[in-house]
Amino acid sequence: MATVEDILMVKGPGVIVASRDTTVREAVNLMCEANVGSVIIKDGERVEGIFTERDLLRRVVSLGRDPNQTQLGSVMTSPVRSVSLRTSVTRCKDILTHEHIRHLAIVEGGTLIGIIGLRDVLTAKLEEDEKLLYDIARQVEIIGKAG
């Protein structure tokens, strides 16, 4: 069964990090430069929250807040939902779909290791399911030849 660690082996552990006093404009620029949909907000080593494209729409744009003046601390989602490297892809899919979120922080021993998104999880789950179907088809083929 595939795990978060398997996803990170392919994706890499890169995370965009900002502080709570970073402006929304600065965070959006970071997100655009890195081509990602979220920024983790940290205070030292402690993860305080996450700012996502959804937060931008719901907590900034729709309320007419000035992205040049609004700080992430006032519009971030907190707490951040996290999983460990050993969490299965299936469990991640369940968390993301049942909790209606799109990002999971990967935390080991209190340290932020990386972040994965819904697309990462669904891609890994699809690959896992395709492999299972291939294995089943091979077994059926072998049984058919033996009979």
Side-chain angles (χ1 to χ4, degrees):
M1 181 174 289
T3 65
V4 169
E5 186 171 19
D6 298 323
I7 294 173
L8 284 187
M9 297 283 274
V10 173
K11 177 184 178 178
V15 180
I16 304 302
V17 176
S19 65
R20 37 182 324 110
D21 61 348
T22 301
T23 67
V24 168
R25 169 81 62 209
E26 292 167 329
V28 168
N29 288 340
L30 290 171
M31 291 162 62
C32 288
E33 288 172 18
N35 195 31
V36 297
S38 65
V39 173
I40 293 288
I41 294 87
K42 288 178 67 176
D43 180 17
E45 287 303 307
R46 190 172 71 85
V47 175
E48 290 192 312
I50 186 170
F51 179 74
T52 67
E53 295 163 324
R54 184 181 286 180
D55 294 324
L56 174 64
L57 290 174
R58 292 184 177 177
R59 297 178 179 169
V60 180
V61 175
S62 70
L63 299 177
R65 296 177 83 166
D66 182 354
N68 294 310
Q69 300 298 318
T70 305
Q71 295 181 338
L72 294 182
S74 65
V75 292
M76 67 184 180
T77 297
S78 183
V80 178
R81 187 64 160 92
S82 64
V83 295
S84 75
L85 290 170
R86 294 171 305 287
T87 305
S88 74
V89 168
T90 299
R91 177 72 180 127
C92 290
K93 176 195 66 74
D94 292 344
I95 292 168
L96 291 166
T97 55
H98 289 51
E99 296 183 23
H100 304 285
I101 57 177
R102 295 184 182 146
H103 302 89
L104 291 169
I106 296 95
V107 177
E108 287 290 328
T111 301
L112 178 68
I113 303 295
I115 188 166
I116 57 173
L118 179 61
R119 181 179 295 132
D120 302 319
V121 171
L122 293 179
T123 298
K125 182 68 177 141
L126 181 60
E127 289 171 0
E128 183 178 66
D129 291 349
E130 286 175 341
K131 182 182 180 320
L132 177 64
L133 288 173
Y134 176 80
D135 291 345
I136 291 170
R138 290 286 297 146
Q139 289 175 4
V140 168
E141 181 181 331
I142 290 168
I143 291 170
K145 288 181 179 178

